Structure formats: C-alpha cells, structure tokens
Amino acid sequence: MTIDEKLSHFYDITVEDARAKAAAILEEHKETLEKMTEERKSLSEENAQTQIKAETANARREVNKALSAEQLTIKRDWTKKQNELKEKLFSEVKGLLESFTKTPEYENYLTAKIKEALDFAENDEISIYLSPEDSSLAEKLQQSTGAAIQIAKDSFLGGIRATIPQKNILIDHSFAGNFEAAYKEFKFDGGPEHE
C-alpha cells in the first residue's frame, strides 16, 4: 500500500469514525432533547391539571357563594311573604272575632263563661270583668247570671276575665289572650303531608 492509499484509508477510517461519533452525539443529543421535551410536556400537563383543579375549585366556590346569597335572598323573601300572610290571616281572624261579638251567640257565650267561672269559684268571692267594648251587655248579663259584672280598664277584644282573690286565681277567657297565643305559636308548616 502506498502512502496515498494509506492516507486515503486513514482518511476514510477517520471520517467514518468521526461520522459514527457525530451520529452517536446527535443521537444522544436527540434523546436528551426528547427527554427534556417529555419532561416539559409532563410538567406542562401537571401545571395545566393543577390550574384546572384550582380554577374548578374557584368556580365551585363562586357558584356556592352565589347559591348561598340566592338562598338567603329566597329565605328572606319567603319569611317576608309568610309574615305578610300571617298578618293578613290574623287581621281576618280579628275581624271575624269582632263580627262574632255582635251576634246573639256571643251573648250566650259570655253567659256560659260567666256561669263556668261562678261554678269554679263556688262560695269564694269572685270579680268578673267585661272588655270595655262589651259594656252595653253588662246589665243584661248581670240579670241573666246573677253575678256582679265590672268593666275592665283595658280592652281584651271580648270574652271575660275573672279573679278569685282568696285563691289568687285569674280566669282568662278573653279573646285577646287566646288571639295573642295563637299569633305567637302560629307557623306555616306547608300543609298536611300526603302519603
């Protein structure tokens, strides 16, 4: 082999070796870039998932906040409407009570309640009171029951009140007492449940 051939052979081997090393370096660089790309892709996906979770949680919080505010508004409106209906209902009830006090049945009711109070008191001293609105009935009730009837200072919408001082007893058959108790205890329950 001549020097030229040797040089050519050496050149070919060196170039081939350089190409192999360059190819290996390129392949290693390519693998490193692919690995970096996968890591970045994975990191980007994780960041995207984290951001999606954070945005979803934030959206839920905002929806819950809006829902709570709306529920509060609905509850406030519902309570206001219930109070309006309660006032209307009890206004009608009061009107019906006032209408009842103008009927003959009312006089019979008062007579029965006075007799009940007298029976309860037996021989003890008793004071029987009518509401000021019923003062026109006092004399007639006194004659029919035989009881001394007094007119109360304060109105109690009708009915009677009686006291038995020796036993410290108050008999309250006034409409105001029952009306106020019914008003305080009244609640809307949505009506009867259906089976």
Side-chain angles (χ1 to χ4, degrees), residues 23-60:
I25 290 171
L26 281 174
E27 188 61 34
E28 185 181 323
H29 187 62
K30 183 179 175 186
E31 288 173 9
T32 302
L33 286 176
E34 284 177 1
K35 186 178 176 185
M36 286 174 63
T37 301
E38 285 300 315
E39 286 174 359
R40 286 204 174 175
K41 189 176 177 184
S42 176
L43 184 61
S44 292
E45 284 180 16
E46 285 177 19
N47 287 342
Q49 289 300 323
T50 302
Q51 188 171 1
I52 288 170
K53 285 178 184 175
E55 290 297 323
T56 301
N58 190 37
R60 277 194 186 113

Side-chain angles (χ1 to χ4, degrees), residues 53-117:
K53 285 178 184 175
E55 290 297 323
T56 301
N58 190 37
R60 277 194 186 113
R61 276 192 301 275
E62 290 300 317
V63 166
N64 287 340
K65 192 171 153 184
L67 183 62
S68 291
E70 188 60 27
Q71 285 174 332
L72 189 62
T73 300
I74 290 170
K75 188 174 183 178
R76 204 176 297 127
D77 291 347
W78 175 253
T79 301
K80 182 180 175 187
K81 189 64 174 174
Q82 281 183 331
N83 288 337
E84 287 172 6
L85 290 173
K86 182 178 178 180
E87 290 300 322
K88 183 178 178 183
L89 174 68
F90 277 89
S91 175
E92 288 177 22
V93 168
K94 195 171 186 179
L96 290 171
L97 280 174
E98 289 170 357
S99 294
F100 174 66
T101 62
K102 293 171 182 33
T103 65
E105 289 83 10
Y106 178 61
E107 191 176 323
N108 295 339
Y109 170 81
L110 291 176
T111 302
K113 291 302 172 186
I114 291 169
K115 286 180 180 177
E116 278 180 32

